[in-house]
Amino acid sequence: MGMRTRAVVLVVAIVVGVVGCSADEPAPRATPGRSAGAASFVAPALALPRVAPGAPCPLTKSRAWSGPGQAVRVLGEGPLYPIADYFGEGGATLELRPDDKQPDGTYGEKVRWLSVGYTGPVLIRGGRIDGTGRAGARFLYWGEPRDGGWFAVLPDEEGLEYVDLPGATTVSGPGCYALQVDGTNFSRTIVFNAVPSR
């Protein structure tokens, strides 16, 4: 191999090394398939409440948040909380804008979550509880579809007080919906309304 060829190979190797180690790229996130917790997690039965058509939606109350992470209000009792700031006034009403309508007819709305003091497997499933319709929530950088919902293994890192989880909530259209959030040591139900934006 000539000197010129060696120089080209060396330059290519350096460029590949620099690109592969770029500080701007986020580190790969853990995936459920790589965790022992994922394999041992058994999805509990889905038990959403039911509401008669036209009856008031039994909304989960939002509450002021003074814990770790960025939020003014959260929904539910945790340890995994949807941020109520993404909902309308009252904290449990999701406003459906025409721009958020997806090709399949559902609406996708940005809703961030916080996990505080909990690490390990979590499964989120949902549905409309005052009629027919679908609902779901997913995290943008963690997890995958599994067991009829969104499954993720939240990281266990020393000194990590909370996990910030950008996400999206999807509903079929206006109505009363519930999300069931299951971890290894808790099960919570979050009830919210979806209404057309004004």
Side-chain angles (χ1 to χ4, degrees):
M1 187 183 292
M3 289 296 288
R4 186 172 182 186
T5 305
R6 283 189 192 137
V8 170
V9 169
L10 181 59
V11 168
V12 169
I14 290 170
V15 169
V16 168
V18 169
V19 169
C21 298
S22 171
D24 294 337
E25 293 180 15
R29 303 279 187 155
T31 59
R34 295 183 191 153
S35 168
S40 62
F41 183 80
V42 177
L46 182 62
L48 300 179
R50 296 301 304 169
V51 176
C57 188
L59 303 177
T60 297
K61 288 186 166 70
S62 70
R63 61 191 182 93
W65 182 250
S66 59
Q70 295 183 346
V72 175
R73 302 187 73 74
V74 297
L75 290 174
E77 299 303 315
L80 190 60
Y81 305 90
I83 306 298
D85 308 350
Y86 291 87
F87 292 77
E89 274 186 52
T93 298
L94 200 60
E95 293 187 5
L96 309 179
R97 298 180 300 269
D99 292 353
D100 297 320
K101 194 164 190 178
Q102 302 177 100
D104 66 356
T106 62
Y107 291 82
E109 302 289 338
K110 177 181 178 181
V111 175
R112 192 166 51 86
W113 293 64
L114 279 177
S115 176
V116 180
Y118 176 78
T119 60
V122 63
L123 176 65
I124 304 176
R125 294 167 289 174
R128 186 172 174 183
I129 62 174
D130 66 344
T132 58
R134 297 180 294 154
R138 64 184 177 89
F139 307 133
L140 299 183
Y141 306 115
W142 295 95
E144 64 187 9
R146 176 178 149 181
D147 296 322
W150 191 259
F151 178 81
V153 177
L154 303 183
D156 183 8
E157 297 177 19
E158 191 173 332
L160 192 64
E161 193 176 5
Y162 70 96
V163 181
D164 188 283
L165 299 159
T169 296
T170 303
V171 296
S172 297
C176 182
Y177 293 89
L179 296 173
Q180 181 173 312
V181 185
D182 293 302
T184 55
N185 59 0
F186 70 92
S187 183
R188 303 281 188 262
T189 302
I190 308 290
V191 179
F192 65 95
N193 227 348
V195 299
S197 64
R198 292 178 249 168

